[in-house]
Amino acid sequence: MSSFFSRNLKRVYPIIASGTGVFVKDTHGNIYLDGSSGAITANLGHGLNEINGAIEKQLSQIAFAHTSQFVSKPALDLAEKLITLAPTNFQNGGRAYFVSGGSEAIETAMKLARSYFVEQSKLTKSLFISRWNSYHGSTFGAMSVTGHPARRKPYISMLKEQPHINAAYAYRCLCNNQTSNSCQSEECTLARANELEQMILKQGPENVIAFIGEPIVGAALGAAVPGKNYWQRIREICNKYDVLLIADEVMTGLGRCGANFALDLWQVQADIIAVGKGLSSGYMPLGAVLASKKIVTIFEEGTGVFEHGFTYSGQPLACAAGLAAVNYTLKNNLIQQVAKREQEFFANLYELANKHEIIGDVRGRGFLAGLEFVKNKSTKEPFPIETKLNQLIAKQAFAFGLITYPGSAFIDGGLGDHIMIAPPFTISDSEIEELFKRLDKTLTQICNTFNVKTPASISH
Ligand SMILES: Cc1ncc(COP(=O)(O)O)c(C=O)c1O
C-alpha cells in the first residue's frame, strides 16, 4: 500500500531511478527506450549536464522570488529568447509570461485574451471557440475548451459551455471519402475552417474572444495534421471578426514539429502562443504564454495591469532550466535536425504500416507521429472500446522496453485507438533503429494476440 495518489490506484507503476539520453531505468534495473519523451516532454532526453548544471548554478544563487517583488535574470533572458524565436508579429514589443505547465499556460492565455478586450471596453466578448478532438489541459478553463468528451464527462455540469467546431481529421474526413486513405481535398479543408466563421456568426462576433487550437492535434487525435490552407483560412476569419487566434503549442512548440512553432509550418501567425512541456524538456515544471506586440500594446497603452498571477510564475529555477534547454536546442541546431530527419523517421513508420494490418493511418510532422489502429484497414473499422487496444499496445511495448504515448476515444467520443511516437530530438540513428525494432516486435505480438495476419505472414 502506498500513500501516493497515482493516476490509477489499481495499477502498479514501476519506480523511476535514473535516465541518460533516450534511456530511463527503473529501480528493478529495467531499461526503457523513451520513444515518446515521456508525455512528449523530455525533448532533449534525460540527464543532460548542461541543463542540470544551469539548475544547480541558479540554485546556488536563489531558488525563489515572487513576481510581485522581483524579476529574475533567467526569466528576463528566457523571455527575450522566446520572443526572438516567435513570428515577426511578436518582435519589438512581444512579451513572455511564465507559468508552471501547459494547463496554466492555457488558463493564462484565456484570461489574457479576455483582458485584452476588457482593456478596450469590449465587455460582451466572453466566449472561446475550440474544436472537438482537442486537449488543452486539466484545469476548468482549459477543460471547457478541450474537446475530448471522456475527459470532460465527470465534470461537464461544472464547465462553462464553450462552442466547439469539428476537428480537421483527414483520415476520417466528414466527406466520407473512401477512395483515399486520408482526405486531402481543398474543399474539405476549407469547409472545416469555415465552420469557425459559421460559429462566430451564430454566437455573434461581439461575444467571441478567440479561437483556440492545437496546430497539430496531440493526444486527443494522435498527431492529426490539417490540410494545407486550413490555418491560413482560420487566420483570415479571426481577422475579419476581431477574434484572437490562440495557438496551443504546448506539445508542438519549440521544435517538436521541425519548426520553432508548428504554425510556422504554414507561415501563420497567432496572436497568443501557449507553450509548456518541451520548453524545459521536463527538467523543471514550466510553461509560458507569448503575447504578440498587438496584445502587449493594448495593456501598455491602457492600465498596464494583467489581473492574474501564480505564486510560482517565473520561478528562477524553472526559468534557468528553460533557458538552458532552449540554448541547448539552438546551439545544437536541433530544430533544423528534426526537420532534416523527419522524412527518414516517417519512412520507418510507413514501413511498419505496410507490414502490420492494424495500422490504419500514420500522421504527424517532425518528430511527432501518430499511429491510428483499426480492425479492418479497408473499412477503417476501429477495435471495440472494451479491447482498450491503445493501452494493450503501450503495455506490450513497455514490456519490450519501449515507452509510447497511447490515446483513445476520438471517434464519436468513445471509439478509436492511437499511440504517439515522439522521441527526444537527440536520439541517434542507431537508437531510432532500436526504437522501431521494439515497436515492430510489439505490433507483431499484438497482431498474433488478435490473430491479425500481416501481409508478410500471409505470403509465407
Ligand atoms: C496541447 C496541450 N495543451 C495543454 C496541455 C496541458 O499541459 P499540462 O499537462 O502541462 O498541464 C497538454 C498536455 O498534454 C497538451 O498536450
Side-chain angles (χ1 to χ4, degrees):
M1 288 291 282
S2 161
S3 306
F4 179 71
F5 208 128
S6 58
R7 288 199 169 215
N8 180 346
L9 299 185
K10 298 198 170 166
R11 202 178 130 186
V12 177
Y13 298 84
I15 300 173
I16 193 76
S18 60
T20 309
V22 301
F23 292 99
V24 297
K25 192 160 132 182
D26 69 22
T27 47
H28 289 294
N30 299 310
I31 295 174
Y32 310 83
L33 197 162
D34 193 353
S36 58
S37 307
I40 335 289
T41 302
N43 288 357
L44 306 178
H46 304 273
L48 268 184
N49 288 335
E50 287 85 343
I51 304 180
N52 291 347
I55 296 169
E56 282 163 19
K57 184 165 173 238
Q58 183 58 43
L59 189 56
S60 72
Q61 293 163 358
I62 190 157
F64 174 76
H66 196 260
T67 45
S68 66
Q69 295 147 358
F70 295 99
V71 291
S72 70
K73 187 83 169 48
L76 293 170
D77 290 350
L78 180 57
E80 190 180 332
K81 196 128 273 179
L82 290 175
I83 293 302
T84 310
L85 292 173
T88 52
N89 60 324
F90 288 73
Q91 305 310 314
N92 306 312
R95 288 175 184 257
Y97 190 107
F98 293 111
V99 296
S100 301
S103 300
E104 281 191 7
I106 297 300
E107 297 292 327
T108 303
M110 291 172 74
K111 286 173 75 176
L112 181 67
R114 161 72 184 172
S115 300
Y116 165 82
F117 286 116
V118 170
E119 285 281 339
Q120 300 172 72
S121 302
K122 295 178 180 173
L123 300 180
T124 54
K125 283 194 177 264
S126 61
L127 294 174
F128 291 87
I129 300 175
S130 60
R131 297 177 296 181
W132 292 116
N133 290 335
S134 65
Y135 182 67
H136 296 294
S138 285
T139 46
F140 277 93
M143 244 195 313
S144 71
V145 289
T146 284
H148 192 283
R151 292 193 185 212
R152 288 159 50 96
K153 198 173 164 205
Y155 313 104
I156 198 112
S157 62
M158 301 160 73
L159 297 179
K160 175 176 159 77
E161 207 35 68
Q162 302 281 9
H164 290 64
I165 61 172
N166 285 304
Y169 180 15
Y171 180 59
R172 295 181 191 276
C173 184
L174 293 178
C175 70
N176 264 330
N177 180 358
Q178 299 293 345
T179 55
S180 77
N181 197 40
S182 187
C183 178
Q184 299 301 327
S185 137
E186 172 85 354
E187 200 184 329
C188 291
T189 296
L190 293 181
R192 292 293 74 73
N194 286 334
E195 282 189 34
L196 175 60
E197 182 165 40
Q198 289 147 20
M199 187 57 91
I200 291 173
L201 292 173
K202 185 174 167 202
Q203 303 294 338
E206 71 284 4
N207 298 318
V208 180
I209 295 174
F211 175 69
I212 178 166
E214 301 159 79
I216 293 172
V217 183
L221 206 45
V225 184
K228 192 165 149 252
N229 293 320
Y230 180 81
W231 282 110
Q232 214 93 43
R233 181 69 191 128
I234 292 281
R235 180 70 267 185
E236 282 168 18
I237 295 167
C238 288
N239 289 349
K240 186 169 168 192
Y241 296 102
D242 190 22
V243 164
L244 296 176
L245 175 54
I246 302 176
D248 180 349
E249 298 250 14
V250 168
M251 186 178 282
T252 54
L254 296 159
R256 174 51 70 186
C257 298
N260 293 354
F261 299 95
L263 267 194
D264 300 352
L265 295 168
W266 296 280
Q267 289 91 45
V268 170
Q269 302 187 337
D271 299 301
I272 296 174
I273 304 174
V275 289
K277 291 182 179 280
L279 173 58
S280 69
S281 191
Y283 283 77
M284 277 281 165
L286 183 66
V289 172
L290 311 188
S292 61
K293 186 176 178 175
K294 158 177 147 179
I295 304 289
V296 175
T297 304
I298 288 292
F299 286 88
E300 284 174 347
E301 291 175 357
T303 64
V305 178
F306 174 28
E307 192 54 64
H308 181 64
F310 301 105
T311 297
Y312 290 117
S313 295
Q315 199 244 16
L317 269 190
C319 290
L323 182 62
V326 173
N327 281 340
Y328 187 90
T329 303
L330 298 178
K331 193 176 103 195
N332 294 286
N333 291 321
L334 291 177
I335 301 175
Q336 293 85 339
Q337 284 297 316
V338 168
K340 199 170 139 206
R341 299 169 79 195
E342 171 182 21
Q343 214 176 353
E344 210 178 318
F345 174 66
F346 274 89
N348 288 289
L349 291 154
Y350 293 129
E351 200 178 305
L352 284 184
N354 283 336
K355 181 170 173 189
H356 297 287
E357 278 296 297
I358 58 168
I359 301 179
D361 193 26
V362 174
R363 51 191 183 237
R365 288 298 307 267
F367 271 8
L368 183 71
L371 297 176
E372 180 171 337
F373 298 100
V374 288
K375 206 170 162 198
N376 184 322
K377 213 164 188 156
S378 46
T379 64
K380 302 184 183 178
E381 180 193 348
F383 278 83
I385 297 178
E386 316 76 74
T387 309
K388 295 188 175 160
L389 187 78
N390 66 95
Q391 289 179 33
L392 286 183
I393 293 172
K395 199 171 157 194
Q396 184 62 65
F398 209 71
F400 287 149
L402 174 65
I403 302 172
T404 60
Y405 200 54
S408 63
F410 47 88
I411 307 167
D412 303 328
L415 290 161
D417 298 275
H418 71 72
I419 60 164
M420 282 202 281
I421 302 296
F425 307 164
T426 48
I427 191 168
S428 70
D429 289 343
S430 62
E431 287 163 344
I432 286 204
E433 207 176 296
E434 183 59 31
L435 186 165
F436 285 107
K437 222 186 262 176
R438 293 183 192 188
L439 188 56
D440 185 19
K441 194 170 150 195
T442 301
L443 297 175
T444 302
Q445 178 75 26
I446 292 288
C447 284
N448 285 343
T449 308
F450 288 96
N451 211 12
V452 178
K453 299 267 179 290
T454 64
S457 64
I458 293 164
S459 62
H460 282 298

